[in-house]
Amino acid sequence: SSICDLHLVIRRAIAVVQNEVAHRATLVTKFGDVPLLRCVPGNAEQAIVNVLLNAAQAIPPGYAGKNTVTIETWSDEKRAWVRIADTGCGIAAANLPRVLEPFFTTKPLGEGTGLGLALVHEIMRHAGGDISIQSEEGKGTQVTLSMLLPSRAERHMVLPSGDTPPHETREAALATSGKATALDE
């Protein structure tokens, strides 16, 4: 994996899902002080796209003024965090332990594959990170992703100029962010 700028990754993910979120919620960003971190930019972007799509789909269209999807970032000495909180329908307590399982979905038949959060979980695990989910039915959901910061030695490396161009990442994410990998709540 390479060294990447989390906020750039998030901005690219937002560009992919903007239309999906726009008629459902107001997108709020609260970016903290986060150093460069260790990740595969395309994978991190896909994970964030999936969580954002899930957040948007938990909110019925037409109430954008009353709902928010908030993306917050912060870090400590070892990790960086991204929390994506929505004011959507929430997840029933009985379903919460299962939402990271592949093929588990609470969406109507034909609407969700149940691969969204499972894929995010896999990306995070592979990157030495983690995902945690808190939810209250009828109030919304918070998905928190944590990622490792590079060691001191790695921090002196320069961000590679060969970082994936935004348009390539966007097309790849759009190609895979249809129903097939839309996240499920």
Side-chain angles (χ1 to χ4, degrees), residues 56-73:
Q57 289 165 1
I59 299 166
Y63 301 95
K66 292 181 181 167
N67 287 286
T68 54
V69 172
T70 305
I71 308 171
E72 198 177 346
T73 64

Side-chain angles (χ1 to χ4, degrees), residues 10-175:
I10 293 171
R11 283 191 200 97
R12 288 178 180 174
I14 289 171
V16 172
V17 301
Q18 220 151 17
N19 295 343
E20 188 81 20
V21 176
H23 58 287
R24 296 171 185 260
T26 304
L27 196 60
V28 180
T29 54
K30 297 178 181 175
F31 288 171
D33 186 20
V34 177
L36 295 177
L37 51 103
R38 188 197 293 135
C39 71
V40 177
N43 289 0
E45 184 183 325
Q46 184 64 61
I48 293 165
V49 162
N50 279 15
V51 177
L52 286 172
L53 281 176
N54 208 37
Q57 289 165 1
I59 299 166
Y63 301 95
K66 292 181 181 167
N67 287 286
T68 54
V69 172
T70 305
I71 308 171
E72 198 177 346
T73 64
W74 71 96
S75 66
D76 64 14
E77 297 77 47
K78 292 187 177 173
R79 292 183 174 266
W81 280 271
V82 183
R83 177 176 294 144
I84 297 172
D86 67 67
T87 55
C89 59
I91 302 166
N95 290 329
L96 205 51
R98 299 196 58 200
V99 293
L100 296 178
E101 289 175 20
F103 307 114
F104 178 77
T105 179
T106 57
K107 287 183 184 161
L109 190 64
E111 279 189 31
T113 59
L115 289 173
L117 283 178
L119 183 65
V120 174
H121 184 227
E122 191 54 35
I123 290 171
M124 294 286 86
R125 205 177 53 80
H126 187 70
D130 206 357
I131 174 173
S132 65
I133 302 165
Q134 288 172 293
S135 189
E136 202 175 328
E137 209 167 0
K139 294 205 173 168
T141 302
Q142 292 188 343
V143 176
T144 308
L145 308 178
S146 75
M147 287 170 252
L148 287 172
L149 294 178
S151 64
R152 280 218 173 89
E154 282 178 296
R155 276 179 221 173
H156 294 297
M157 287 167 50
V158 187
L159 187 67
S161 57
D163 199 358
T164 319
H167 65 91
E168 281 182 35
T169 315
R170 195 167 299 136
E171 282 164 20
L174 281 173

